[in-house]
Short mmCIF file of all heavy atoms in Angstrom, two decimals:
data_model
loop_
_atom_site.label_atom_id
_atom_site.label_comp_id
_atom_site.label_asym_id
_atom_site.label_seq_id
_atom_site.Cartn_x
_atom_site.Cartn_y
_atom_site.Cartn_z
N TYR A 67 110.68 165.04 174.32
CA TYR A 67 111.15 166.15 175.15
C TYR A 67 109.93 166.82 175.78
O TYR A 67 108.84 166.80 175.22
CB TYR A 67 111.90 167.19 174.30
CG TYR A 67 113.09 166.62 173.55
CD1 TYR A 67 112.95 166.12 172.26
CD2 TYR A 67 114.35 166.60 174.12
CE1 TYR A 67 114.03 165.61 171.57
CE2 TYR A 67 115.44 166.09 173.44
CZ TYR A 67 115.27 165.60 172.16
OH TYR A 67 116.34 165.10 171.48
N VAL A 68 110.14 167.44 176.93
CA VAL A 68 109.08 168.16 177.61
C VAL A 68 109.61 169.51 178.07
O VAL A 68 110.79 169.66 178.35
CB VAL A 68 108.52 167.35 178.82
CG1 VAL A 68 109.56 167.18 179.90
CG2 VAL A 68 107.24 167.96 179.36
N ASN A 69 108.71 170.53 178.11
CA ASN A 69 109.12 171.83 178.63
C ASN A 69 108.39 172.11 179.94
O ASN A 69 107.66 171.25 180.45
CB ASN A 69 108.87 172.93 177.59
CG ASN A 69 107.40 173.14 177.27
OD1 ASN A 69 106.53 172.56 177.88
ND2 ASN A 69 107.13 173.95 176.27
N ALA A 70 108.58 173.28 180.47
CA ALA A 70 108.03 173.62 181.79
C ALA A 70 106.50 173.66 181.80
O ALA A 70 105.88 173.42 182.82
CB ALA A 70 108.58 174.96 182.25
N SER A 71 105.88 173.96 180.65
CA SER A 71 104.42 174.03 180.60
C SER A 71 103.79 172.71 180.17
O SER A 71 102.66 172.68 179.71
CB SER A 71 103.98 175.17 179.68
OG SER A 71 104.50 174.97 178.38
N LYS A 72 104.53 171.61 180.30
CA LYS A 72 104.05 170.25 180.02
C LYS A 72 103.62 170.06 178.57
O LYS A 72 102.66 169.37 178.27
CB LYS A 72 102.90 169.88 180.95
CG LYS A 72 103.27 169.85 182.41
CD LYS A 72 104.14 168.67 182.71
CE LYS A 72 104.39 168.62 184.22
NZ LYS A 72 105.26 167.55 184.59
N LYS A 73 104.34 170.71 177.66
CA LYS A 73 104.13 170.48 176.23
C LYS A 73 105.27 169.61 175.76
O LYS A 73 106.43 169.83 176.10
CB LYS A 73 104.08 171.81 175.48
CG LYS A 73 102.87 172.63 175.87
CD LYS A 73 102.81 173.91 175.12
CE LYS A 73 101.60 174.71 175.59
NZ LYS A 73 101.60 176.05 175.04
N TYR A 74 104.94 168.63 174.96
CA TYR A 74 105.92 167.64 174.54
C TYR A 74 106.30 167.83 173.09
O TYR A 74 105.46 168.18 172.25
CB TYR A 74 105.34 166.23 174.74
CG TYR A 74 105.22 165.83 176.18
CD1 TYR A 74 104.13 166.24 176.95
CD2 TYR A 74 106.18 165.06 176.79
CE1 TYR A 74 104.02 165.88 178.28
CE2 TYR A 74 106.09 164.69 178.12
CZ TYR A 74 105.00 165.11 178.85
OH TYR A 74 104.89 164.76 180.17
N LYS A 75 107.56 167.60 172.80
CA LYS A 75 108.08 167.59 171.44
C LYS A 75 108.50 166.16 171.15
O LYS A 75 109.32 165.59 171.88
CB LYS A 75 109.26 168.54 171.30
CG LYS A 75 109.89 168.54 169.93
CD LYS A 75 110.94 169.63 169.81
CE LYS A 75 112.31 169.03 169.81
NZ LYS A 75 113.36 169.99 169.53
N LEU A 76 107.93 165.58 170.10
CA LEU A 76 108.22 164.20 169.76
C LEU A 76 109.01 164.16 168.47
O LEU A 76 108.62 164.75 167.47
CB LEU A 76 106.91 163.41 169.57
CG LEU A 76 105.89 163.48 170.70
CD1 LEU A 76 104.62 162.74 170.30
CD2 LEU A 76 106.45 162.93 171.97
N GLU A 77 110.14 163.46 168.49
CA GLU A 77 110.90 163.24 167.27
C GLU A 77 110.50 161.87 166.75
O GLU A 77 110.65 160.86 167.44
CB GLU A 77 112.41 163.27 167.55
CG GLU A 77 112.93 164.65 167.84
CD GLU A 77 114.44 164.67 168.00
OE1 GLU A 77 115.10 163.64 167.82
OE2 GLU A 77 114.96 165.75 168.33
N ILE A 78 109.97 161.85 165.53
CA ILE A 78 109.48 160.59 164.97
C ILE A 78 110.12 160.31 163.62
O ILE A 78 110.66 161.21 162.97
CB ILE A 78 107.95 160.59 164.82
CG1 ILE A 78 107.50 161.64 163.80
CG2 ILE A 78 107.26 160.79 166.14
CD1 ILE A 78 106.10 161.45 163.32
#
Side-chain angles (χ1 to χ4, degrees):
Y67 303 91
V68 66
N69 65 7
S71 59
K72 298 288 185 183
K73 294 181 182 172
Y74 289 82
K75 178 173 107 172
L76 308 176
E77 288 185 5
I78 65 164

